[in-house]
């Protein structure tokens, strides 16, 4: 049985374009792959823990070959739980709207919590970093109101998909399918564009 984890980074619920594309993608994938289990992680549900001073100290302790203790251990255990939720899935679908040329802050918060040594990456003083998330595949769904690929800088820049691509590479996920609906606002044909994006998402889901 295949488990797909959908990481939702939009707070807009039923009004979210990235969420609608993810739903279309996942429906098509499940139709083509009987028995698939889809779990959704809503990054806006208020459950993400803080990873501040105690977390940073715990991370440094692990890097130094030690073990976190006390409050640091508690924060580290919270990070491990989230990382285990992520790494236990067989595949991933990310629905990520563009915010200020980048990702929503809750997505960055989640990434910063689970991107820990021994959880999703390893480190060797001689060889450097290595990803620990092997044999997985991911679909990344990107939306933006004004930005689209190839536009002049006055219409935005892409620190959005570039951030996600590099993070996936860093943790070891190389098989990545990309779906885009850009722009969602600065278009004269929003209904047609949305319909085309949904069709592309369904086609990608069938082939995923």
């Amino acid at each position: 049985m295949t488990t797909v984890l959908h990481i939702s980074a939009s707070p807009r619920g039923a009004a979210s374009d990235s969420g609608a594309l993810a739903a279309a993608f996942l429906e098509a994938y499940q139709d083509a792959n009987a028995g698939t289990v889809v779990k959704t992680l809503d990054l806006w549900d208020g459950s993400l823990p803080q990873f501040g001073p105690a977390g940073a100290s715990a991370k440094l302790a692990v890097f130094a070959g030690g073990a976190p203790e006390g409050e640091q251990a508690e924060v580290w255990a919270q990070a491990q739980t989230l990382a285990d939720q992520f790494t236990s899935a067989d595949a991933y679908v990310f629905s990520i709207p563009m915010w200020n040329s980048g990702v929503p802050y809750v997505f960055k918060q989640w990434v910063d919590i689970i991107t820990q040594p021994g959880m999703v990456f390893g480190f060797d003083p001689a060889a450097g970093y290595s990803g620990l998330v092997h044999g997985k595949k991911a679909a990344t769904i990107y939306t933006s109101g004004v930005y689209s690929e190839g536009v002049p800088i006055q219409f935005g820049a892409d620190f959005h998909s570039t951030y996600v691509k590099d993070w996936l590479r860093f943790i070891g996920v190389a098989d990545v399918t990309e779906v885009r609906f850009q722009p969602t606002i600065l278009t004269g044909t929003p209904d047609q564009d949305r319909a085309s994006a949904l069709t592309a998402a369904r086609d990608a889901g069938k082939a995923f």
Side-chain angles (χ1 to χ4, degrees):
M1 182 181 296
T2 299
T3 299
V4 178
L5 181 63
H6 170 211
I7 298 94
S8 173
S10 173
R12 300 187 67 230
S16 168
D17 281 313
S18 62
L21 293 176
F25 180 100
L26 287 165
E27 182 180 12
Y29 180 76
Q30 287 183 289
D31 287 344
N33 298 271
T36 297
V37 174
V38 174
K39 298 180 180 180
T40 298
L41 174 59
D42 179 1
L43 299 180
W44 290 94
D45 68 3
S47 65
L48 287 180
Q50 295 296 311
F51 196 86
S57 296
K59 186 170 192 170
L60 289 175
V62 172
F63 261 122
E69 298 180 354
E71 182 186 2
Q72 294 177 21
E74 293 177 11
V75 174
W76 195 252
Q78 292 176 330
Q80 185 70 67
T81 297
L82 274 178
D84 289 345
Q85 178 190 36
F86 179 68
T87 58
S88 65
D90 301 298
Y92 311 107
V93 174
F94 299 89
S95 50
I96 313 171
M98 178 182 281
W99 281 24
N100 299 316
S101 296
V103 297
Y105 66 86
V106 292
F107 183 81
K108 180 66 164 57
Q109 180 183 354
W110 174 76
V111 166
D112 285 343
I113 292 170
I114 70 168
T115 308
Q116 307 297 346
M119 297 186 192
V120 299
F121 75 89
F123 180 75
D124 180 89
Y129 294 105
S130 60
L132 300 179
V133 186
H134 302 300
K136 316 280 188 174
K137 59 183 178 179
T140 51
I141 295 171
Y142 302 116
T143 57
S144 51
V146 173
Y147 172 83
S148 62
E149 291 180 294
V151 297
I153 192 64
Q154 293 88 342
F155 292 90
D158 184 5
F159 304 112
H160 177 220
S161 69
T162 54
Y163 172 79
V164 178
K165 288 175 184 177
D166 190 66
W167 176 69
L168 288 172
R169 176 204 58 78
F170 178 76
I171 65 172
V173 179
D175 185 352
V176 181
T177 297
E178 189 174 287
V179 178
R180 290 177 181 258
F181 177 22
Q182 300 174 314
T184 61
I185 296 174
L186 191 64
T187 170
T189 56
D191 292 339
Q192 295 94 315
D193 294 347
R194 184 169 288 103
S196 295
L198 287 167
T199 297
R202 293 187 190 98
D203 290 344
K206 293 174 187 177
F208 187 58

